[in-house]
Amino acid sequence: MITLYEQATSGNCYKVRLVLTHTGRAFRRVEVSARDGSTRTQEFLARNPIGKVPTVEFDDGRPLGESNAIMLHFAEGTALLPADAYDRAKVYEWLFFEQYSHEPMIAVRRALFLYEERRHLATPERLAQLMEGGNKALSVMEGRLAAAHWLAGNAFSIADIALYAYTHTAEEGGYDLSSFPAVQAWLARVAKVPGHVPLEA
Amino acid sequence: MITLYEQATSGNCYKVRLVLTHTGRAFRRVEVSARDGSTRTQEFLARNPIGKVPTVEFDDGRPLGESNAIMLHFAEGTALLPADAYDRAKVYEWLFFEQYSHEPMIAVRRALFLYEERRHLATPERLAQLMEGGNKALSVMEGRLAAAHWLAGNAFSIADIALYAYTHTAEEGGYDLSSFPAVQAWLARVAKVPGHVPLEA
């Protein structure tokens, strides 16, 4: 059985739970976290030298890290990853957008409020910078979703899962989603896809 | 013919030139940059709403952004992207590692020295933070490359291209590669792959 090493409150880990659930795979969950040092043990670093969750371990013991890499692997051959070459490339584009321009703003700002040990990093300058960058990312999503139901191609894909994970918790980071009505409507659509499960805190 | 919108000194744009060259595709280059505002025109934002290079335009006019997404697209079906599912997943893992944990340190620190308009951002705290994060990323690469010739699987792939792009300019950002001998040996191997072209400044 697949083992998912995760921190349950992490949106990056939630992505992996969603893709495993949507593709009907059995998995067991092991809670590890930078917060208690359990991602810094020699045993964990052998699985993932950067010490990050999510990390999965396959039946044969081989590990894989990076949430969006894990999603691409499990989505291969399913409806969550388009067969059309251009639509597929657009999925890739949204996945890299998510990790470079969205998560480092929207997930990071949420973490400054959510995790007590990070609160000293929440300076007014940092909060303002993250607000500006996050709103820019949300604007890019709004532009697409005002004209289309899904982020890449014509169907729900791992691009939607990747962006849903932290967009649906953006208000915990202080973002105001009422300025992004197409994003709000899309969040509701994603939550209605059969097989959807909530983020368990 | 494929059009590559690029800023020639950018390692992210260099990745795309390398993959197009290695896969034998003809392309024309158009220089655009945030530095002169040409990535902020309505015409450019219609291609890429986040206003970033590289962006490619296919023969039919459809655009694609994000360097690593462009590489995945053009590498499909070639030796630059492994057929084995696990090796392929490890390519994905390195590509996301590059965009989250490597480029935001090593490319960003280089840019603080290279581009005059960014020099005011080069505070001692920021430089120290980028040095620490970049050295951590280089250590992860060193761990792999001390035990293997290439980053993913047993062959040169787009994982190597992605990490080469900014690692080979790391010293311009003040990093000392002499502490990473396996990385240095790998840089020399990548530069000897037939079809390799240098970063043209």
Side-chain angles (χ1 to χ4, degrees), chain B:
Chain B
M1 190 187 294
I2 297 153
T3 303
L4 167 58
Y5 295 90
E6 65 166 0
Q7 181 187 323
T9 53
S10 152
N12 286 322
C13 298
Y14 178 42
K15 293 176 193 172
V16 177
R17 282 204 301 283
L18 279 171
V19 80
L20 290 170
T21 305
H22 278 300
T23 59
R25 283 183 175 85
F27 60 101
R28 69 183 190 105
R29 299 165 65 173
V30 176
E31 181 81 10
V32 286
S33 172
R35 304 186 76 200
D36 68 5
S38 52
T39 54
R40 296 282 148 201
T41 63
Q42 282 213 322
E43 187 194 355
F44 189 79
L45 291 172
R47 283 185 201 104
N48 188 334
I50 201 159
K52 278 173 54 174
V53 287
T55 297
V56 296
E57 201 167 72
F58 298 108
D59 287 345
D60 62 10
R62 290 195 293 182
L64 184 64
E66 298 291 338
S67 57
N68 290 354
I70 297 168
M71 289 212 297
L72 278 167
H73 176 77
F74 286 118
E76 189 67 65
T78 78
L80 295 176
L81 187 55
D84 175 80
Y86 184 74
D87 290 347
R88 188 178 170 112
K90 296 301 274 188
V91 169
Y92 297 145
E93 185 183 31
W94 282 110
L95 295 182
F96 287 105
F97 165 83
E98 192 268 337
Q99 284 288 286
Y100 199 91
S101 302
H102 184 281
E103 200 264 17
M105 306 293 168
I106 293 177
V108 167
R109 204 174 197 279
R110 170 182 179 250
L112 293 181
F113 293 105
L114 198 61
Y115 304 121
E116 206 175 342
E117 68 275 20
R118 301 210 194 172
R119 290 213 185 120
H120 70 286
L121 300 169
T123 61
E125 294 77 14
R126 184 79 177 123
L127 288 174
Q129 178 196 41
L130 294 171
M131 180 59 76
E132 185 187 347
N135 279 330
K136 185 178 173 190
L138 292 167
S139 297
V140 170
M141 294 174 67
E142 182 74 12
R144 165 67 186 178
L145 293 166
H149 263 46
W150 305 110
L151 289 171
N154 299 316
F156 174 69
S157 75
I158 53 172
D160 299 293
I161 296 177
L163 273 304
Y164 180 85
Y166 284 109
T167 304
H168 96 289
T169 64
E171 288 179 344
E172 295 177 22
Y175 297 95
D176 178 7
L177 291 181
S178 69
S179 314
F180 305 101
V183 170
Q184 285 188 307
W186 164 83
L187 286 173
R189 274 197 297 284
V190 172
K192 278 186 202 146
V193 173
H196 182 79
V197 290
L199 172 63
E200 294 149 87

Side-chain angles (χ1 to χ4, degrees), chain A residues 44-64:
Chain A
F44 190 79
L45 292 171
R47 281 185 202 106
N48 188 334
I50 200 159
K52 277 173 54 174
V53 287
T55 298
V56 298
E57 201 167 73
F58 298 107
D59 287 346
D60 62 9
R62 291 194 293 183
L64 183 64

Side-chain angles (χ1 to χ4, degrees), chain A:
Chain A
M1 192 187 292
I2 296 154
T3 303
L4 168 58
Y5 296 91
E6 64 165 0
Q7 181 188 323
T9 54
S10 152
N12 287 321
C13 298
Y14 178 42
K15 293 176 194 170
V16 177
R17 283 203 301 284
L18 279 171
V19 80
L20 290 170
T21 305
H22 277 300
T23 59
R25 284 184 175 85
F27 59 101
R28 70 183 188 106
R29 299 165 64 173
V30 177
E31 181 80 11
V32 286
S33 172
R35 305 187 75 201
D36 68 6
S38 53
T39 53
R40 296 283 148 200
T41 63
Q42 282 212 322
E43 187 194 356
F44 190 79
L45 292 171
R47 281 185 202 106
N48 188 334
I50 200 159
K52 277 173 54 174
V53 287
T55 298
V56 298
E57 201 167 73
F58 298 107
D59 287 346
D60 62 9
R62 291 194 293 183
L64 183 64
E66 298 291 338
S67 57
N68 289 354
I70 297 168
M71 288 213 297
L72 278 168
H73 176 76
F74 287 118
E76 189 66 65
T78 79
L80 295 176
L81 187 55
D84 175 81
Y86 184 73
D87 290 348
R88 188 177 171 113
K90 296 301 274 188
V91 169
Y92 297 146
E93 184 183 31
W94 282 109
L95 295 182
F96 287 105
F97 165 83
E98 192 266 339
Q99 283 289 285
Y100 199 92
S101 302
H102 183 282
E103 200 263 18
M105 306 292 168
I106 292 176
V108 167
R109 203 173 196 280
R110 170 183 179 249
L112 293 180
F113 293 105
L114 199 61
Y115 305 121
E116 205 174 342
E117 68 275 19
R118 300 210 196 173
R119 290 213 185 120
H120 70 285
L121 300 169
T123 61
E125 294 76 15
R126 184 81 177 121
L127 289 174
Q129 179 196 38
L130 294 170
M131 180 60 76
E132 185 188 346
N135 279 330
K136 185 178 172 189
L138 293 166
S139 298
V140 170
M141 294 174 67
E142 182 74 12
R144 165 68 186 178
L145 293 166
H149 263 46
W150 305 110
L151 289 172
N154 299 317
F156 174 68
S157 74
I158 52 172
D160 299 293
I161 297 178
L163 273 304
Y164 180 85
Y166 284 110
T167 304
H168 97 289
T169 64
E171 288 178 345
E172 294 177 22
Y175 297 95
D176 177 9
L177 291 181
S178 69
S179 314
F180 305 101
V183 169
Q184 285 188 307
W186 164 84
L187 287 173
R189 275 197 298 283
V190 172
K192 280 187 201 146
V193 173
H196 182 80
V197 290
L199 173 63
E200 293 148 87

